Amino acid sequence: MTVAEAGEAAVLEVLSGAAGDVGDDPVGNGDDAAVLGPADATVVTTDMLVEGTHFRLDLTNWRDLGRRAVAQNVSDVLAMGADCSRILVALAVPGHTEMDQIAHLAAGIHAEAARSGAVVVGGDLTSAGVVVVGVTAIGTLPRGAAPLRIDGARPGDRIGLTGLPGRSAAGLALLLAGHPGGDLAAAHRVPHTPIGSGTAARRAGASALTDVSDGLLRDLSGLTRASGVTADLDAAALPVDPGLRRAAVTLTDGDAGKGKVKGQKQSPGDDDDNAVPAAAVSTHDESDPIISARVMDWILDGGEDHGLLGTFPPGVEVPAEFTLIGTIREGAPGEVTVDGVARTPGGWDSARGAN
Amino acid sequence: MTVAEAGEAAVLEVLSGAAGDVGDDPVGNGDDAAVLGPADATVVTTDMLVEGTHFRLDLTNWRDLGRRAVAQNVSDVLAMGADCSRILVALAVPGHTEMDQIAHLAAGIHAEAARSGAVVVGGDLTSAGVVVVGVTAIGTLPRGAAPLRIDGARPGDRIGLTGLPGRSAAGLALLLAGHPGGDLAAAHRVPHTPIGSGTAARRAGASALTDVSDGLLRDLSGLTRASGVTADLDAAALPVDPGLRRAAVTLTDGDAGKGKVKGQKQSPGDDDDNAVPAAAVSTHDESDPIISARVMDWILDGGEDHGLLGTFPPGVEVPAEFTLIGTIREGAPGEVTVDGVARTPGGWDSARGAN
């Protein structure tokens, strides 16, 4: 059954979940607006995913799309030092969309919301030529807790990052080149921000926190610009997923082998994984400059990992999920150096696309 | 200068307005999320407008688009018995969009927010092939105030409506037929919900309240279904904008005169207004069934007027902005009668389009 056949009410019921499942809020789904209970401070953010710009339905699936739409908004709430408690969804889909697809999208939305302990308290549906998933995420801060702003970094602070940067960008590159992409593609489809890492940073005494959506350098530059300071990154301290190097080899070999005859594979299973045979890897040693540059570009400029990037004053005990990657000093606001050399952020500008 | 040339930061600055202009909130624009101050109950809703589905840029303008996107969300907050205090905007536009157009959109957003006493506290920008404006509106309820739910109508309640229904639908019909549309087209471009009417209904003691977005019958049917009651409308009590009759005459004459030779007008000024000459009106008397049916369809099934539809228990003094149009009684949940005859809602289903 399609969305057009089922009608708005049926779609919103699937999207919103059971009407009773709205936590302790005075009004949940099914009314003009949701009404949330008392809060000392409410954290709120909104973001949309647009088909063709942020995702292609041939490279992802409806469940992962739902998870990603929630995850990237939850990440913004975590980045204020809060935890997410409620999700609102505004969805636009073509009328011929199948209700099964909506059910998978809703399952992803609810699964990712549940991971944060959040409930879905509202939805909106409209028709459109492309799929657009708009999410509003809401969290609360306990009484007296100061939000972690983007402008609080001070000279002497250490810079910490959660997760492994560049995985989403590498996964996307593999997918676009026709590889299944494995774990990296999964990381692209659904970014992972550790729940609780924002509150952990706040309780530890972080001075600033933001989430990496547009690229490590670009978002760090935004943080240092807002704070009026310069950041120095230590390349050797950056956490590196070993899969990035394998992905770079796969893609570099693919570039080099574009003239080769295709279609010689006997078994379809040969295409099921992007693992590169040891022989292929061995043609590139650790210092191969093309491979290393590709990996470094992903780490520094790849977007959509949604790791949390924070600054921690001297003496503060940094939570275990943060890897220390550099320091803050006085200097040109917004400048970021890597091993002492200033580097202009690449990454993603939402108005321009890739820089 | 285009959006792609200006970049995301410049666009968000225009959209969000001055960074200092965020009221008393702990964190306003420019961070991962906004942080709102203490609230006893927070009202939150989200809706998106999609180019091609909800608007055409040749039939509206960027300023009115911004106003409409905010107004329809504010209306949902009012419909909970609250007033709107904050607005978040998620915008998708093609990269070739001019910054002047963004400035007009932002001016409309800010003007309509200001009408509600609300401030813009966050924004998101992305690129897309069509324009999508997603708005999240937030309001608060004072301590102890019960939100006006959609399921509170009880037998014996009177039904009240703000504004003049059908104006938006008639305005759209004029625009689609190539008429300038005048006041009705303006009502389509920017719906008007009286600020304060939701809190007035709550203070007066309304039992239920919703906003008319999909059509009077459809939204009233939703209210009565949620409340488990039937509504009886009195056709003679429905408020009628006299412009609806003129619009129906214009469109009916247009239908009848489709074979006529065009292009005989000497002055371009002749096209500047959709006023119909008295002679043309006089060919249709008050009881013309085609005209009357068209007007009645607009009133009962026209969407997007965003009037507030409320129910008021016996003895409650109904606020002046509400016109009484019928009564609630025991009966089949969701049923609505007009002068005693059950009528199936037409109006707008967001999944199916017009029914």
Side-chain angles (χ1 to χ4, degrees):
Chain A
M1 184 186 293
T2 67
V3 164
E5 288 159 0
E8 180 174 20
V11 177
L12 287 182
E13 201 175 308
V14 173
L15 267 186
S16 308
D21 184 26
V22 293
D24 299 326
D25 289 332
V27 181
N29 293 307
D31 215 311
D32 296 285
V35 181
L36 319 180
D40 292 315
T42 301
V43 180
V44 60
T45 185
T46 187
D47 258 340
M48 60 171 67
L49 288 176
V50 179
E51 185 181 1
T53 301
H54 299 100
F55 65 92
R56 282 168 38 181
L57 287 168
D58 59 329
L59 299 184
T60 188
N61 57 68
W62 287 85
R63 183 185 161 88
D64 282 351
L65 176 61
R67 290 191 60 191
R68 176 178 170 193
V70 171
Q72 70 173 26
N73 278 281
V74 167
S75 181
D76 279 331
V77 171
L78 300 182
M80 300 310 291
D83 284 316
C84 183
S85 57
R86 286 90 158 196
I87 295 292
L88 284 84
V89 181
L91 175 67
V93 293
H96 59 72
T97 305
E98 292 289 335
M99 285 299 285
D100 274 0
Q101 297 172 316
I102 300 293
H104 285 121
L105 179 80
I109 287 169
H110 287 265
E112 195 64 24
R115 202 174 74 85
S116 310
V119 290
V120 178
V121 294
D124 170 48
L125 174 73
T126 187
S127 70
V130 294
V131 176
V132 182
V133 190
V135 167
T136 298
I138 300 169
T140 53
L141 280 167
R143 183 180 295 274
L148 285 181
R149 305 171 58 114
I150 200 169
D151 58 2
R154 296 292 173 262
D157 289 356
R158 293 154 295 162
I159 303 168
L161 175 71
T162 70
L164 300 168
R167 300 183 82 222
S168 176
L172 177 60
L174 286 170
L175 287 171
L176 290 175
H179 299 277
D183 287 352
L184 297 178
H188 170 67
R189 291 195 192 100
V190 183
H192 178 79
T193 312
I195 302 300
S197 52
T199 49
R202 176 171 55 74
R203 289 194 188 117
S207 52
L209 193 69
T210 191
D211 100 303
V212 178
S213 52
D214 297 330
L216 175 54
L217 278 192
R218 179 174 285 268
D219 288 312
L220 180 55
S221 174
L223 185 150
T224 54
R225 187 178 305 108
S227 303
V229 295
T230 286
D232 296 321
L233 291 185
D234 173 8
L238 291 168
V240 183
D241 181 331
L244 295 190
R245 176 163 290 275
R246 287 195 298 271
V249 169
T250 299
L251 291 167
T252 306
D253 286 348
D255 293 347
K258 269 180 181 160
K260 290 180 188 167
V261 177
K262 295 211 172 186
Q264 295 180 347
K265 290 202 173 116
Q266 299 301 313
S267 156
D270 291 356
D271 277 330
D272 280 351
D273 191 25
N274 68 308
V276 175
V281 175
S282 69
T283 65
H284 302 276
D285 69 21
E286 286 293 309
S287 62
D288 184 318
I290 295 173
I291 301 297
S292 298
R294 205 156 196 168
V295 169
M296 205 60 172
D297 284 350
W298 283 329
I299 289 174
L300 293 176
D301 290 328
E304 304 194 322
D305 286 306
H306 294 283
L308 291 185
L309 180 66
T311 54
F312 299 87
V316 161
E317 188 174 339
V318 178
E321 56 264 51
F322 288 85
T323 303
L324 293 178
I325 59 173
T327 51
I328 298 291
R329 64 170 164 87
E330 288 186 33
E335 186 166 292
V336 180
T337 71
V338 182
D339 288 347
V341 179
R343 181 165 162 147
T344 304
W348 185 259
D349 183 296
S350 290
R352 298 190 179 104
N355 248 15
Chain B
M1 184 185 292
T2 68
V3 164
E5 288 159 1
E8 179 174 18
V11 176
L12 286 182
E13 199 175 310
V14 173
L15 268 186
S16 308
D21 183 26
V22 292
D24 298 325
D25 290 331
V27 181
N29 294 307
D31 215 311
D32 296 284
V35 181
L36 319 180
D40 292 314
T42 300
V43 180
V44 60
T45 186
T46 187
D47 258 338
M48 59 172 67
L49 289 176
V50 179
E51 185 180 1
T53 301
H54 300 100
F55 65 90
R56 283 169 37 181
L57 287 168
D58 58 330
L59 298 183
T60 188
N61 57 68
W62 286 86
R63 183 184 161 87
D64 282 351
L65 176 61
R67 290 191 59 191
R68 176 179 171 193
V70 171
Q72 70 173 25
N73 279 281
V74 167
S75 180
D76 279 330
V77 172
L78 300 181
M80 299 309 291
D83 285 317
C84 184
S85 57
R86 287 90 158 196
I87 295 291
L88 283 84
V89 181
L91 176 67
V93 293
H96 59 73
T97 305
E98 292 289 334
M99 285 300 286
D100 274 359
Q101 297 172 316
I102 299 293
H104 285 122
L105 179 80
I109 287 169
H110 287 264
E112 195 65 24
R115 202 174 75 84
S116 309
V119 291
V120 178
V121 294
D124 171 48
L125 174 73
T126 186
S127 70
V130 295
V131 177
V132 182
V133 189
V135 167
T136 298
I138 299 169
T140 52
L141 280 167
R143 183 180 295 275
L148 286 180
R149 305 171 58 112
I150 201 169
D151 59 1
R154 295 293 172 261
D157 290 355
R158 294 153 295 162
I159 302 167
L161 176 72
T162 69
L164 300 168
R167 300 183 81 222
S168 176
L172 176 60
L174 287 170
L175 287 170
L176 291 175
H179 299 277
D183 287 353
L184 298 178
H188 170 68
R189 291 196 192 99
V190 184
H192 178 78
T193 311
I195 301 300
S197 52
T199 48
R202 176 171 54 74
R203 288 192 189 119
S207 51
L209 194 68
T210 191
D211 100 303
V212 179
S213 52
D214 298 329
L216 176 54
L217 278 192
R218 179 173 286 267
D219 288 312
L220 181 55
S221 175
L223 185 150
T224 55
R225 187 177 305 109
S227 303
V229 295
T230 286
D232 296 320
L233 291 184
D234 174 8
L238 291 167
V240 183
D241 181 332
L244 295 191
R245 176 162 289 277
R246 287 195 298 273
V249 169
T250 299
L251 291 167
T252 305
D253 285 350
D255 293 346
K258 269 181 180 158
K260 287 180 188 167
V261 177
K262 295 213 170 184
Q264 296 180 346
K265 290 202 172 117
Q266 299 300 314
S267 155
D270 290 354
D271 276 329
D272 280 351
D273 191 24
N274 69 308
V276 176
V281 174
S282 68
T283 64
H284 301 275
D285 68 21
E286 286 293 310
S287 62
D288 184 317
I290 295 174
I291 300 298
S292 297
R294 204 155 198 169
V295 169
M296 205 58 173
D297 284 349
W298 282 330
I299 289 175
L300 293 176
D301 290 328
E304 303 194 322
D305 286 306
H306 294 284
L308 290 186
L309 180 66
T311 54
F312 299 89
V316 161
E317 190 173 338
V318 178
E321 56 264 51
F322 288 85
T323 304
L324 293 177
I325 60 173
T327 51
I328 297 291
R329 65 170 163 88
E330 288 185 32
E335 185 167 291
V336 180
T337 71
V338 181
D339 289 347
V341 180
R343 180 166 162 148
T344 303
W348 184 260
D349 184 296
S350 291
R352 297 189 180 103
N355 248 16

